Amino acid sequence: MASAPSSCSTGGTGAGGLHLPDTTRELVKILVAGPFGVGKTTLIDSVSEIRPLHTEEHLSEASVAVDDLAGVRDKTTTTVAIDFGRISLEAGIVLYLFGTPGQERFRSLWADISHGALGALVLIDSRRIDDSFDVLGLVEESGLPYAVALNTFPDARTYTEEQLRRSLDLEPGTAMVVCDARDTNSSIDALLALVQQLIAGHAATAAAAGPAAAPADATGSGTGPIPETW
């Protein structure tokens, strides 16, 4: 599976200051989605240039019946609202990363969290492919462009890209990459794959619309930047 080269001005937890760089041109809201225990919080931790915001609670006995710990037996906490981080890329693009809860009981939060987002990075775990379908369905229903990142786990079986695409029923144009959510560069590569897909998607839309189409912003979204207050 392809991977984009890392292109980031700052990265890793706490690597940058609280204030946006002077070179900032576009602010882009991105969702980091995926099923329970797939590594969303870990990915945001690994790339955020500010101290990430987490809304985690310890798993309780009451959640045993609804939170399937198969494959994630060591997990002791879960996100109950959002994770939030920020990363600055080249060309003045800043990504605001919103990690979404992975359990069905938090589905009602989706519309609020996804409002204003330009795309989603969907993490999957090849040991639990079936767990990805509900999240992929939510993303597709919302109409958000998305890329898929296979988060690697030591005990996971190896599958070809074709096998994974067929299992997930992905469209041919959907980017798919392999990443290690614990690794900063690997996680940045996954985010870049999504950004490149957004740019390519806008370019195709603009070409189909003809010369009268609105000019693209730096992200290629054509929708303009996301305000600092959203």
Side-chain angles (χ1 to χ4, degrees):
M1 280 168 268
S3 177
S6 296
S7 176
C8 172
S9 58
T10 56
T13 303
L18 290 175
H19 302 290
L20 290 170
D22 293 337
T23 55
T24 299
R25 294 175 56 198
E26 303 292 345
L27 308 179
V28 182
K29 180 177 180 179
I30 296 294
L31 301 188
V32 179
F36 170 73
V38 78
K40 302 180 293 292
T41 300
T42 300
L43 184 141
I44 291 175
D45 274 346
S46 73
V47 302
S48 183
E49 64 196 13
I50 60 174
R51 183 177 180 180
L53 167 69
H54 297 307
T55 55
E56 290 201 312
E57 294 292 343
H58 287 283
L59 292 170
S60 64
E61 292 184 6
S63 71
V64 170
V66 291
D67 292 333
D68 186 1
L69 293 177
V72 287
R73 293 293 178 188
D74 294 333
K75 187 171 178 60
T76 59
T77 61
T78 185
T79 299
V80 295
I82 63 166
D83 295 317
F84 175 76
R86 189 188 80 200
I87 181 171
S88 301
L89 304 178
E90 290 183 355
I93 300 173
V94 175
L95 303 184
Y96 286 160
L97 306 175
F98 287 74
T100 65
Q103 296 98 312
E104 175 65 23
R105 65 182 181 276
F106 297 119
R107 187 185 183 101
S108 60
L109 296 175
W110 179 263
D112 291 332
I113 297 174
S114 62
H115 179 72
L118 296 189
L121 180 67
V122 181
L123 296 184
I124 65 168
D125 178 352
S126 64
R127 303 169 302 174
R128 301 180 291 132
I129 290 290
D130 289 351
D131 292 351
S132 305
F133 295 142
D134 285 344
V135 176
L136 286 170
L138 270 177
V139 175
E140 291 175 352
E141 287 171 15
S142 69
L144 280 178
Y146 67 93
V148 171
L150 173 65
N151 192 16
T152 56
F153 292 89
D155 58 339
R157 290 179 56 186
T158 300
Y159 298 94
T160 66
E161 180 176 355
E162 182 182 355
Q163 289 174 318
L164 289 170
R165 283 185 173 277
R166 186 167 58 248
S167 296
L168 295 168
D169 194 25
L170 297 181
E171 294 290 335
T174 302
M176 172 177 276
V177 297
V178 175
C179 81
D180 182 342
R182 302 166 298 180
D183 181 80
T184 298
N185 288 333
S186 180
S187 297
I188 291 171
D189 287 347
L191 290 167
L192 284 173
L194 171 61
V195 170
Q196 290 170 356
Q197 178 166 309
L198 293 176
I199 292 172
H202 174 80
T205 301
D217 55 46
T219 66
S221 68
T223 60
I226 294 173
E228 288 190 56
T229 56
W230 14 256

